[in-house]
Amino acid sequence: MPERILVTGGTGQLGRVVVQRLVAAGEQVRALSRRPRSGAGAQWTVGDLRSGRGLDVAVAGVDVIVHCATDFRHEVEVLRQLVEAARWGGQAPHVIYVSIAGVDRVPLGYYRAKLEAEQVLAGSGLPCTILRATQFHALVRAGLAAVARLPVVPVPRWRFQPVDVRDVAARLAELAVGEPQGRVADLGGPEVHSAADLVRAVLAASGRTKRVVPVWLPGRTYRAYADGGNLAVEHADGVITFEQYLAERGDAGALRYR
Ligand SMILES: NC(=O)c1ccc[n+]([C@@H]2O[C@H](COP(=O)([O-])OP(=O)(O)OC[C@H]3O[C@@H](n4cnc5c(N)ncnc54)[C@H](OP(=O)(O)O)[C@@H]3O)[C@@H](O)[C@H]2O)c1
């Protein structure tokens, strides 16, 4: 019997792929967005995780909720709304939360909120699973492409272990049809690279070379990243590399610079 699964953030970078995967696996998928949507083989429902509008309909009768929606400034509030809605009518669906590797090590406001959201979910009494992933390829590429516009490219002495959303979605799809497990092993991308190497790859992908200058910056957040707080080296379980991701985007660059 297929699960009835609600995917919040079904239009997002990750959520979109989660919906595709679950539908392809034959699951009954309901997907939440703040605006009317259709397609991808899902039943779409309109709701807002901040105001609570439409959530009663969104959660009605679901066995599992894969929470891929995120609100940068209201992450905890949104999670609380979801938990409250999930409990309506005495339901106790399995809630899966997507978090970020290093939320307990990197003192960024968003990371702190993700950590608090993890704790709220774990203490909610609902069956839950929490998966922390490293930075997605697209986020790393976008951040580096922004600095790569400068004539000389300053990059922090950080490393990244970018992971593909398809790898994260595959893990979430497995978790969605399994038993609740609390916090599971983090999911990291297959390779760790310095930000300098990654920016060179992004430059090469558009046929450019520029001088890349690794820089030190002050502050605890900088230090936490420099210490590898954002990595999941023990769990380099993703398979799609940053190089593959760039190549698929139509960018010819490779990580050939050292
Ligand atoms: N990006 C990364 O590198 C990374 C790394 C590790 C973990 N994560 C985590 O992975 C999750 C997904 O990230 P993402 O990058 O895929 O997100 P995203 O592309 O920014 O998508 C955000 C989604 O949240 C939905 N949303 C926002 N506010 C909402 C609200 N008030 N009510 C209902 N839906 C709302 C949006 O849906 P509509 O606009 O259609 O309403 C959208 O689908 C997040 O929890 C993030 O922290 C991300």
Side-chain angles (χ1 to χ4, degrees):
M1 175 70 180
E3 303 278 350
R4 283 167 302 177
I5 303 175
L6 172 68
V7 180
T8 73
T11 58
Q13 239 193 118
L14 174 63
R16 186 178 312 152
V17 189
V18 172
V19 168
Q20 283 165 7
R21 251 206 103 113
L22 290 169
V23 167
E27 305 300 340
Q28 292 177 26
V29 179
R30 191 178 296 165
L32 179 77
S33 170
R34 284 167 294 181
R35 277 171 285 281
R37 314 267 180 184
S38 61
Q43 175 207 349
W44 288 85
T45 185
V46 175
D48 189 318
L49 285 158
R50 271 197 77 200
S51 68
R53 175 181 60 98
L55 297 188
D56 49 350
V57 174
V59 301
V62 298
D63 304 304
V64 180
I65 301 174
V66 186
H67 183 37
C68 296
T70 186
D71 180 321
F72 203 70
R73 279 172 301 162
H74 306 98
E75 187 71 7
V76 179
E77 188 184 325
V78 156
L79 190 273
R80 284 189 200 280
Q81 282 278 15
L82 182 68
V83 164
E84 198 182 310
R87 288 208 197 98
W88 282 338
Q91 297 186 116
H94 173 196
V95 179
I96 302 176
Y97 182 61
V98 189
S99 190
I100 306 175
V103 286
D104 49 354
R105 297 186 293 259
V106 177
L108 273 176
Y110 181 58
Y111 281 35
R112 286 203 180 109
K114 301 277 305 178
L115 180 61
E116 188 181 341
E118 286 183 3
Q119 290 161 349
V120 168
L121 179 60
S124 70
L126 290 174
C128 68
T129 300
I130 295 166
L131 174 68
R132 294 180 181 176
T134 54
Q135 282 72 45
F136 301 163
H137 288 324
L139 179 77
V140 171
R141 198 206 70 86
L144 295 174
V147 285
R149 292 203 194 97
L150 298 167
V152 173
V153 185
V155 286
R157 290 173 187 271
W158 293 345
R159 288 165 293 151
F160 289 101
Q161 188 180 349
V163 69
D164 198 279
V165 286
R166 288 165 289 183
D167 287 332
V168 183
R171 173 70 66 82
L172 289 170
E174 275 168 27
L175 294 171
V177 296
E179 293 299 311
Q181 298 182 56
R183 173 138 175 245
V184 293
D186 293 358
L187 175 56
E191 298 173 346
V192 176
H193 291 285
S194 68
D197 279 349
L198 291 167
V199 82
R200 288 186 188 105
V202 169
L203 283 163
S206 55
R208 293 171 296 168
T209 49
K210 289 188 185 184
R211 201 165 143 239
V212 175
V213 184
V215 291
W216 292 103
L217 296 170
R220 286 170 47 229
T221 300
Y222 174 86
R223 168 52 55 200
Y225 266 95
D227 289 344
N230 58 319
L231 305 178
V233 283
E234 310 284 298
H235 304 288
D237 299 327
V239 292
I240 301 167
T241 64
F242 191 67
E243 183 179 5
Q244 275 172 266
Y245 164 79
L246 288 181
E248 284 175 11
R249 279 176 47 90
D251 302 335
L255 293 177
R256 54 179 169 256
Y257 299 95
R258 285 279 171 262

